[in-house]
Amino acid sequence: EEKGDEAFAEKLSKLGDIYVNDAFGTAHRAHASTTIVAKFFPNAKCFGFLLAKEIEAIEKVMATGEKPVLAILGGAKVSS
């Protein structure tokens, strides 16, 4: 569901005890099953190992890169 339907996201949240987002490529999207459902886990949400690895890589570049550092994050879908 790509429109961010809160009622649908709430129904999805009833199916679990904790929300783990492990999809770096979709973490920013306001879909019911990503960003919106996370609102229903105020004290039980986290990111997974793959997302943590992506964040660590970005932090490493930002911390150890030659200064000044400019980071442009982006990409294209395979279909693009």
Side-chain angles (χ1 to χ4, degrees), residues 2 6 20-24 28 30-31 41 44 51-52:
E2 297 178 357
E6 288 213 20
V20 179
N21 188 337
D22 207 21
F24 183 80
H28 67 286
H31 296 176
F41 295 92
L51 191 52

Side-chain angles (χ1 to χ4, degrees), residues 1-5 26-36:
E1 196 285 312
E2 297 178 357
K3 295 180 183 174
D5 185 322
T26 63
H28 67 286
R29 297 183 185 158
H31 296 176
S33 63
T34 55
T35 308
I36 309 303

Side-chain angles (χ1 to χ4, degrees), residues 20-24 46-57:
V20 179
N21 188 337
D22 207 21
F24 183 80
C46 61
F47 49 83
F49 295 120
L50 294 175
L51 191 52
K53 202 170 174 183
E54 294 279 358
I55 292 169
E56 288 170 7

